Amino acid sequence: MNWDEYSDWGSRISQWAAEYHKTLRERPVRAQTAPGDIAAQLPEMPPEGGEDMDIIMSDFERIVMPGITHWQHPRFFAYFPANAAPPSMLAEMLVSTIAAQCMLWQTSPAATEMETVILDWLRQAIGLPAGFAGVIQDSASSATLAAVLTMRERALNWQGNQKGLSGQPRLRVYCSAEVHTSVDRAIWIAGIGQDNLVRIPIAGRLRGMDPAALKVAIEKDIAQGHCPAGVITCTGGTGTGACDDLDAMIAIAKSYDLYAHVDAAWAGAAMICPEFRKLWSGVEKADSIVFNPHKWLGAQFDCSAHFLRNPDTLVRTLAIQPEYLKTHGHDGLINYSEWSVPLGRRFRALKLWFLIRSYGLEGLRNRIRNHVIWAEGLCERLEQNDDFEIVTRPVLSLFTFKLRGRNDQVQIDYVNNINDDGRIYITQTRVDGQIAIRFQVGQFDATKTDVDFAHDVLVQMAGR
Ligand SMILES: *Cc1c(COP(=O)(O)O)cnc(C)c1O
């Protein structure tokens, strides 16, 4: 392809993109294909000769699009959102055009310097005190892995990377059962082992760890000669939006000199609104915090903001400097590849710069506030309807409910029927062992009409 053809196709695809977004409501939200449908339409062998872009593009429409679940559909109420606001999409087009590899300062100074400045914008936006340094990770899972590796190294007096874990005291990490599975995987990958991830019972409406139980668990481990390393708390857990009492939990962690990490992957975006910050009060005492602007805030995936009280402990855990990565004569520069597990990194700060400038914090706050109000409104309407029962009340824009008096299988069938119907998309979770249906409002283009529409679909499908 020559660059004139590229330019022509670029314009056509950009028009296609606008049309796609404008007509999303006409499509079923979740893909309606059966397993294997798409693979069956792809040739088993690669072509020997080149093919025309016209044919490739029409196959894209014919084969690929029916197998897409539309995450940017305004009636997407499943999981958590993965918003891609249009300015962030445009920034990603520029980033993929430049295609720079931003592992070191000198491999693209603009990417590094913008990342430093924009993460400090974000720090201010979510109300963290000065002194926290930020870095963009590909995902919250990577940030949490980095936190677990740091707590491991810190607890082992920086000997784990060198000596391995055999012969070391048994490391222990504490969290509730409400945290995301990325915590389990971080524990596996860090070599700490699932058996040493200690689940602390929860208490209260926000389903946070019970402080007394955390203390008892730490004391018991110390008495047995184990090595407590850290506490992983959550603000806005995945199932029901559980929030630990950060003030209490981090105070306990600190009293035993443990590392404290906060996973606010979804809920962190809401902290741009000061009135929601009570959900994570005490966060300023954490050692690290992760929040995903690629969820609710509107920055195209992937973009995970990782804030550190002291980046030196992270760099001491992860930095490795073979000769070819040394930036000679430039001491004190930040090489962000030393702050993350992968070496290579994309220029991710640009989409945050485009996004925040284009809407302003106030524009982004309005969306989040509306989503919260609409979710609360829908929850109230369902509560007044005898067919439904609220299981957990809204935490920000997420609540769970069920069909009143029906067993788990009926709830699952109901969710599947709704998703096969395709007008809206929802998912289920388990709360205290039983199936509950999750509903979250968060798609960037969603309107109150879309949420009212969802109400009507939920009621209508319950009547079947
Ligand atoms: C989505 C989510 C994660 C995982 O995020 P990735 O960026 O996909 O790794 C972790 N924790 C919570 C609370 C989440 O909602």
Side-chain angles (χ1 to χ4, degrees), residues 255-303:
S255 71
Y256 292 96
D257 191 30
L258 306 189
Y259 186 99
H261 176 65
V262 180
D263 177 1
W266 161 67
M271 302 309 165
I272 63 172
C273 308
E275 69 272 26
F276 298 134
R277 290 181 195 157
K278 58 183 184 297
L279 286 175
W280 75 355
S281 76
V283 68
E284 67 284 352
K285 299 191 202 82
D287 293 300
S288 57
I289 300 142
V290 61
F291 116 71
N292 281 347
H294 71 226
K295 277 186 171 154
W296 203 357
L297 199 69
Q300 167 137 345
F301 188 85
D302 51 0
C303 185

Side-chain angles (χ1 to χ4, degrees), residues 99-168:
Q101 224 285 24
C102 308
M103 56 191 182
L104 306 173
W105 175 85
Q106 76 175 13
T107 65
S108 273
T112 296
E113 294 184 18
M114 180 168 289
E115 187 159 333
T116 307
V117 173
I118 300 305
L119 271 270
D120 199 62
W121 283 14
L122 266 190
R123 173 194 66 74
Q124 297 170 55
I126 60 174
L128 287 180
F132 276 96
V135 56
I136 305 179
Q137 306 281 2
D138 55 1
S139 64
S141 304
S142 293
T144 295
L145 173 59
V148 169
L149 292 170
T150 306
M151 59 181 79
R152 181 190 82 184
E153 286 307 292
R154 195 177 161 274
L156 295 179
N157 201 21
W158 317 100
Q159 295 298 305
N161 282 337
Q162 186 64 38
K163 295 188 174 161
L165 298 190
S166 72
Q168 303 280 10

Side-chain angles (χ1 to χ4, degrees), residues 72-116:
Q72 307 313 320
H73 197 301
R75 293 170 188 160
F76 182 103
F77 303 109
Y79 307 100
F80 282 136
N83 285 327
S88 85
M89 291 169 54
L90 293 174
E92 281 291 81
M93 285 163 72
L94 295 173
V95 166
S96 81
T97 300
I98 300 164
Q101 224 285 24
C102 308
M103 56 191 182
L104 306 173
W105 175 85
Q106 76 175 13
T107 65
S108 273
T112 296
E113 294 184 18
M114 180 168 289
E115 187 159 333
T116 307

Side-chain angles (χ1 to χ4, degrees), residues 234-435:
C234 65
T235 299
T238 317
T240 65
C243 293
D244 287 313
D245 174 349
L246 299 190
D247 255 323
M249 294 306 136
I250 299 174
I252 295 170
K254 296 288 131 184
S255 71
Y256 292 96
D257 191 30
L258 306 189
Y259 186 99
H261 176 65
V262 180
D263 177 1
W266 161 67
M271 302 309 165
I272 63 172
C273 308
E275 69 272 26
F276 298 134
R277 290 181 195 157
K278 58 183 184 297
L279 286 175
W280 75 355
S281 76
V283 68
E284 67 284 352
K285 299 191 202 82
D287 293 300
S288 57
I289 300 142
V290 61
F291 116 71
N292 281 347
H294 71 226
K295 277 186 171 154
W296 203 357
L297 199 69
Q300 167 137 345
F301 188 85
D302 51 0
C303 185
S304 187
H306 183 192
F307 292 99
L308 299 136
R309 160 181 303 287
N310 177 7
D312 292 349
T313 54
L314 176 67
V315 171
R316 192 165 174 193
T317 302
L318 295 179
I320 192 159
Q321 275 198 345
E323 189 56 34
Y324 60 86
L325 291 178
K326 288 190 176 143
T327 39
H328 295 284
H330 288 291
D331 284 350
L333 290 178
I334 295 180
N335 292 322
Y336 277 122
S337 56
E338 297 181 346
W339 298 44
S340 56
V341 176
L343 170 68
R345 31 195 359 266
R346 304 187 331 102
F347 184 5
R348 299 195 188 87
L350 193 72
K351 60 193 163 196
L352 280 171
W353 195 52
F354 272 47
L355 175 78
I356 297 171
R357 292 185 64 188
S358 168
Y359 293 91
L361 290 177
E362 204 45 36
L364 297 172
R365 284 186 196 111
N366 278 342
R367 277 196 168 65
I368 285 173
R369 285 178 176 139
N370 279 334
H371 295 162
V372 171
I373 292 168
W374 300 336
E376 287 170 350
L378 176 63
C379 178
E380 267 171 41
R381 287 180 79 185
L382 295 183
E383 195 168 21
Q384 285 158 16
N385 183 325
D386 286 341
D387 286 345
F388 299 99
E389 170 187 338
I390 302 306
V391 179
T392 58
R393 310 206 61 80
V395 174
L396 301 167
S397 63
L398 168 68
F399 67 95
T400 62
F401 68 99
K402 64 204 289 188
L403 296 170
R404 187 185 295 278
R406 302 301 195 88
N407 67 26
D408 280 358
Q409 191 54 49
V410 175
Q411 316 291 344
I412 292 173
D413 291 344
Y414 173 71
V415 169
N416 289 339
N417 288 340
I418 285 178
N419 295 336
D420 289 345
D421 169 273
R423 287 175 290 169
I424 65 171
Y425 186 24
I426 53 175
T427 41
Q428 75 275 357
T429 183
R430 273 188 194 276
V431 179
D432 302 327
Q434 295 205 311
I435 295 287

